[in-house]
Amino acid sequence: MFGIGASAGSASGLIHSYDVLYYTGVRAYFSEEWEKAAELLEKSMTTREALFRTRRQCHKECVPAGYDRLSKLDTEKGNVWDLWAVDWVQRRAECVRFCLGQAVTPAGQLPVSADIEYEFSTRNPYNFLQVVYWKLGKVQKAASAAHTFFVANPSHLEMRNNIEKYRRMEGVTEDAFQDREMETEKHWALYDSALTSEASSDWTHAVEKWRECVNETLRQTDECRAQCEVASQRLPENRGEDGMDGVFEKAAALSLSLLSCQQACVTQVATRPGRISAQEDFLPTQLERLHIAQFKAGDLGGAVRSLRSLLLFYPSDKDSLSNLELYTETLGGDTEAHGTKPSQEIARYVSRSLQEKKLLYFGMENLNFNFTDPDLWTPEEVVPELLRDTWRAEKEVLNEKLKAGEKEVEMDDSGFYAGGPVPQVGVTISMDDNSLNGTNRVVLDGVLDQKECDTVLRLATAAASAGDGYRGRRSPHTPHEKFEGLTVLRAVKLAQDSMVNQSDAKLLHEMGERVRTLLHSYFRSPSGLHFSYTHLVCRSAITGDQEGRLDLSHPVHVDNCLLEPETRQCWREPPAFTHRDLSAVLYLNDDFDGGELFFTDRDAKTVTARVKPTCGRLVGFSSGPVNPHGVTAVTAGRRCALALWFTKEKHHRDMEREEAEALWAADGQSVTKGGEVKEEGREGTPARSGRSGSQSSGSRGRGRVTGGKDEL
């Protein structure tokens, strides 16, 4: 007998419709019945989970149903074969129907609407729950709901700022900030962990994580396919409406609909929470990275197995065949390793997928069925001749989109990982990686108040030296602007000579400490973060010299490498400041024209984001090749900002800053100083980028295995 146990909390003990519970919970929310809303919203999610669990169990228990009929298919032909096949399908369907009936109400077995599917796929119930628990004073649960919603909606800045407020609330522990949906996203955690190991050249650990990631991806795909098979299937929209289709046509349409659903699991599993599009070639990409990691870890036999598995997807790929030849030569006389076969699981996966594709393309050609192939690796011979021209055109369009989007999956090997907490009260996140269209970028507002901005502006007017920090050059980047700068050390010496107020000089120093604390936390720096250089700089438009101006206040550049836009390479070598790891600019005013910071692609032409200066606005970003940037021309007025760079290398720290602190200490004056920010050992926080998958700076290949002061 079936071992299904219902747990929906209903009086009958059967699982009810989770969509009804959800709708009722939303109505209670808008009626401000908070206790009722919390109960119903939570119950809708637990009921949905119970339904999916029951479907999986029924699918597993009904796999053997009708096996005795399958044995007949080897000996029978023609109409008799068809009858035995139908009998096998019917027995299995009856098994599933009986199994579900033991645990789920008839209404609970019906498919939910597309709107409900969207609500749960975007985790919107947690959006409601966050408010509900806040209203009920249950801040730990509110924080948990907020975090879980934010994982799938990373561009929701209001929710991110709510999370920062929860972090500072009494009674909210770090345990609240765990993804409640993590169980269904394990493969992404493994994927990110493997990338982190690669970045640190820990190849043994990378092999382990890539192997686990492949296995978990296969498991998640099978889970998804089981849901397709057991859930109620709608008749395709273009079938049966005019009464023209017969029973066989309708049966064929339902069968093709099931296969299409199972093929779509590839896309579902390859879509990261919070993303709209799936990662193309998700499983083949893992196999490629796995065989390279195995080679570098010295596991040649494993590398051959993984590479042969990859070749099942792309049997004529030149790089893969070249790698196989390299592995074969390296193995020498190891005949056992030479005979290594592809993974049986991958071989079954590819074989099953190809069989399904053939049937689906047949349905497209002969039964007017609509099917979108989720894979780039589908061989052309699977596609019927009449459909190949359209198929080739669609594939070409997709490949062009992938090429255009390569920058979106560029890996930042800086060791920073955007998205950490913001520890200063009143500071909010205005723009993040998503809204800035890049990696390890952030805009924080409220770092300074207007009084502090005015104080530092007066200091800049009183003490800044023309060209200071630029070897005396008044216009280091353009002849149309005058540059003035002030370092912390110079401010201290001027204060000692009573030319400026000591409190103003100390504020300039303290602003840097404030920035370091914020960015170390937000970018989750895995190591100590030291000041590399701090410079208060003002750019003033030269009156009468702006007409017809086409240049920039600061040309596009990268802070720690030499950008080569033509080849899209960035060479980390002198005269670049190669020790810089993190860059920041803290704005003081907005009463000028132009002077916007902008980010570009590596071509130095394609602008990806713009930031308009205003008092107290802080822009932070990793200093490497993922963040080329420049400054538009200041055509009127005076633009002032504090520019800062940080390094993880202590021997490259700013000695002038330490000299300034020593002068204060010698005078017996205290100074606000956070000390060297050290690693806090955040468990589970990977030192990785929010993006992944491309070359690091200066790399000239990926497919094959091979043995002066800038201002912002």
Side-chain angles (χ1 to χ4, degrees):
M1 188 53 68
F2 299 98
I4 302 296
S7 58
S10 63
S12 65
L14 299 180
I15 298 172
H16 281 260
S17 306
Y18 69 88
D19 54 343
V20 174
L21 292 168
Y22 180 65
Y23 278 133
T24 309
V26 172
R27 282 198 293 270
Y29 172 90
F30 285 109
S31 300
E32 298 187 4
E33 300 174 70
W34 307 121
E35 290 282 1
K36 183 179 179 182
E39 178 186 359
L40 289 170
L41 289 169
E42 289 284 9
K43 187 177 288 186
S44 71
M45 291 189 290
T46 56
T47 300
R48 180 174 182 263
E49 182 182 342
L51 174 63
F52 281 28
R53 185 170 58 248
T54 300
R55 287 175 179 171
R56 290 195 297 269
Q57 187 65 21
C58 286
H59 178 270
K60 180 180 178 181
E61 294 190 3
C62 290
V63 166
Y67 261 15
D68 56 328
R69 267 53 182 169
L70 277 180
S71 62
K72 303 282 187 181
L73 300 181
D74 294 331
T75 58
E76 302 293 350
K77 296 180 180 180
N79 293 337
V80 178
W81 188 96
D82 292 342
L83 290 172
W84 283 119
V86 170
D87 191 35
W88 165 61
V89 172
Q90 183 175 348
R91 284 176 177 270
R92 190 167 179 182
E94 288 175 349
C95 174
V96 170
R97 185 171 58 191
F98 179 78
C99 179
L100 288 175
Q102 295 292 101
V104 187
T105 64
Q109 296 179 42
L110 296 174
V112 298
S113 68
D115 288 341
I116 284 291
E117 289 177 349
Y118 178 79
E119 288 287 293
F120 280 84
S121 68
T122 56
R123 303 190 183 184
N124 211 38
Y126 294 102
N127 194 4
F128 288 113
L129 278 172
Q130 183 257 159
V131 177
V132 169
Y133 284 131
W134 166 252
K135 293 289 187 180
L136 293 172
K138 300 178 180 181
V139 290
Q140 180 84 353
K141 288 186 174 182
S144 177
H147 177 81
T148 302
F149 174 79
F150 183 73
V151 168
N153 300 272
S155 61
H156 200 292
L157 293 181
E158 181 183 354
M159 191 64 76
R160 169 169 274 177
N161 287 322
N162 286 345
I163 290 172
E164 297 310 324
K165 293 174 185 176
Y166 286 131
R167 288 186 185 277
R168 294 191 288 265
M169 286 182 185
E170 185 177 352
V172 178
T173 67
E174 196 61 30
D175 291 341
F177 304 101
Q178 303 294 325
D179 184 3
R180 288 178 54 177
E181 300 284 331
M182 178 58 72
E183 187 64 27
T184 61
E185 310 295 346
K186 282 183 179 178
H187 56 304
W188 286 113
L190 292 166
Y191 188 93
D192 293 337
S193 179
L195 289 175
T196 302
S197 299
E198 280 189 1
S200 59
S201 298
D202 185 353
W203 299 111
T204 300
H205 191 256
V207 168
E208 176 188 347
K209 292 305 174 184
W210 281 126
R211 188 181 290 117
E212 290 179 15
C213 186
V214 169
N215 291 336
E216 183 63 19
T217 299
L218 292 172
R219 189 190 71 80
Q220 293 279 5
T221 303
D222 287 341
E223 290 271 332
C224 175
R225 290 172 60 86
Q227 294 296 326
C228 291
E229 190 167 333
V230 178
S232 299
Q233 293 286 332
R234 295 186 184 90
L235 190 67
E237 294 180 1
N238 60 341
R239 294 287 166 181
E241 296 177 356
D242 54 8
M244 295 296 291
D245 281 350
V247 64
F248 289 108
E249 287 83 358
K250 291 177 181 177
L254 282 170
S255 299
L256 291 171
S257 180
L258 168 60
L259 295 179
S260 180
C261 175
Q262 292 180 321
Q263 282 279 303
C265 288
V266 173
T267 301
Q268 180 175 321
V269 173
T271 303
R272 188 187 285 269
R275 302 287 177 84
I276 298 175
S277 302
Q279 182 169 323
E280 299 293 346
D281 269 349
F282 187 48
L283 188 55
T285 296
Q286 294 175 46
L287 291 170
E288 180 186 22
R289 290 186 173 275
L290 174 58
H291 84 73
I292 292 175
Q294 287 171 320
F295 176 79
K296 293 189 175 184
D299 180 12
L300 284 177
V304 170
R305 178 182 296 275
S306 299
L307 183 51
R308 290 192 188 279
S309 299
L310 174 61
L311 283 165
L312 293 176
F313 294 93
Y314 291 103
S316 58
D317 181 69
K318 292 181 179 179
D319 285 334
S320 295
L321 292 171
S322 175
N323 288 335
L324 183 60
E325 184 179 351
L326 170 64
Y327 295 166
T328 303
E329 292 174 356
T330 307
L331 284 167
D334 190 343
T335 55
E336 182 177 346
H338 278 296
T340 302
K341 301 294 183 183
S343 160
Q344 291 184 3
E345 291 81 3
I346 299 296
R348 281 196 295 268
Y349 176 97
V350 172
S351 175
R352 178 186 64 195
S353 185
L354 288 175
Q355 291 177 44
E356 291 173 352
K357 291 177 191 293
K358 289 177 182 177
L359 290 171
L360 286 161
Y361 278 115
F362 176 86
M364 289 180 68
E365 183 181 28
N366 298 285
L367 300 174
N368 197 30
F369 185 79
N370 295 321
F371 166 60
T372 301
D373 196 330
D375 295 308
L376 288 174
W377 58 267
T378 302
E380 187 169 309
E381 57 267 22
V382 171
V383 183
E385 190 69 40
L386 291 176
L387 302 176
R388 285 185 188 175
D389 288 343
T390 303
W391 177 80
R392 291 191 193 104
E394 291 176 350
K395 190 171 183 179
E396 185 63 31
V397 170
L398 182 56
N399 284 328
E400 289 299 320
K401 286 183 179 179
L402 288 174
K403 290 178 182 177
E406 281 179 355
K407 61 181 176 58
E408 296 183 3
V409 294
E410 186 169 33
M411 183 174 181
D412 182 1
D413 60 2
S414 64
F416 299 117
Y417 176 35
V422 178
Q424 182 178 328
V425 176
V427 174
T428 58
I429 301 167
S430 298
M431 301 178 79
D432 59 3
D433 278 357
N434 190 279
S435 49
L436 288 168
N437 299 311
T439 301
N440 282 334
R441 302 174 180 176
V442 70
V443 175
L444 303 176
D445 280 330
V447 178
L448 299 175
D449 59 31
Q450 189 61 55
K451 182 179 179 181
E452 290 173 320
C453 287
D454 293 342
T455 298
V456 181
L457 284 170
R458 287 195 301 270
L459 175 65
T461 301
S465 298
D468 178 50
Y470 301 98
R471 301 180 180 89
R473 293 175 294 161
R474 293 181 55 182
S475 302
H477 304 302
T478 172
H480 304 289
E481 298 174 21
K482 181 179 73 173
F483 284 67
E484 300 167 298
L486 178 68
T487 63
V488 174
L489 178 60
R490 179 172 172 79
V492 173
K493 290 181 176 180
L494 290 172
Q496 288 182 327
D497 294 337
S498 300
M499 296 181 67
V500 300
N501 293 330
Q502 279 283 4
S503 59
D504 295 350
K506 287 184 177 180
L507 175 59
L508 180 64
H509 175 275
E510 192 270 330
M511 284 162 52
E513 297 292 342
R514 199 180 299 180
V515 170
R516 177 168 66 168
T517 299
L518 286 167
L519 296 187
H520 178 273
S521 177
Y522 181 79
F523 287 114
R524 294 184 266 202
S525 176
S527 60
L529 202 59
H530 312 277
F531 287 95
S532 173
Y533 190 59
T534 306
H535 200 202
L536 173 60
V537 59
C538 295
R539 310 158 186 259
S540 302
I542 297 176
T543 304
D545 194 20
Q546 303 300 315
E547 187 176 350
R549 184 176 173 186
L550 298 174
D551 67 340
L552 297 170
S553 180
H554 195 135
V556 175
H557 62 286
V558 175
D559 286 343
N560 70 8
C561 57
L562 304 176
L563 182 63
E564 191 178 82
E566 296 78 13
T567 62
R568 301 175 62 87
Q569 296 291 342
C570 203
W571 305 104
R572 199 159 184 175
E573 57 190 41
F577 296 95
T578 58
H579 56 277
R580 291 179 176 175
D581 296 303
L582 195 62
S583 305
V585 55
L586 179 56
Y587 296 114
L588 301 174
N589 65 321
D590 59 8
D591 53 343
F592 53 86
D593 294 338
E596 289 187 353
L597 176 71
F598 63 94
F599 293 97
T600 74
D601 190 8
R602 287 204 196 193
D603 62 7
K605 297 178 182 177
T606 306
V607 176
T608 57
R610 292 180 180 271
V611 180
K612 185 174 177 60
T614 189
C615 167
R617 172 165 289 177
L618 171 65
V619 184
F621 52 93
S622 59
S623 304
V626 296
N627 286 319
H629 58 282
V631 179
T632 61
V634 178
T635 56
R638 184 172 185 246
R639 172 195 189 267
C640 293
L642 182 66
L644 307 103
W645 293 269
F646 302 94
T647 179
K648 291 180 281 188
E649 302 176 32
K650 189 173 183 179
H651 60 281
H652 282 300
R653 67 191 185 279
D654 186 358
M655 301 307 294
E656 278 196 10
R657 188 180 183 87
E658 293 190 2
E659 184 180 346
E661 293 164 355
L663 288 174
W664 270 316
D667 288 344
Q669 299 185 53
S670 61
V671 60
T672 302
K673 188 174 186 300
E676 299 303 339
V677 182
K678 298 181 180 178
E679 182 178 5
E680 298 178 8
R682 292 186 183 85
E683 188 175 337
T685 300
R688 65 165 179 84
S689 151
R691 308 277 192 258
S692 62
S694 79
Q695 304 145 332
S696 58
S697 60
S699 170
R700 294 190 182 271
R702 168 67 176 84
R704 290 195 179 190
V705 177
T706 61
K709 308 243 186 242
D710 283 330
E711 294 298 345
L712 297 164

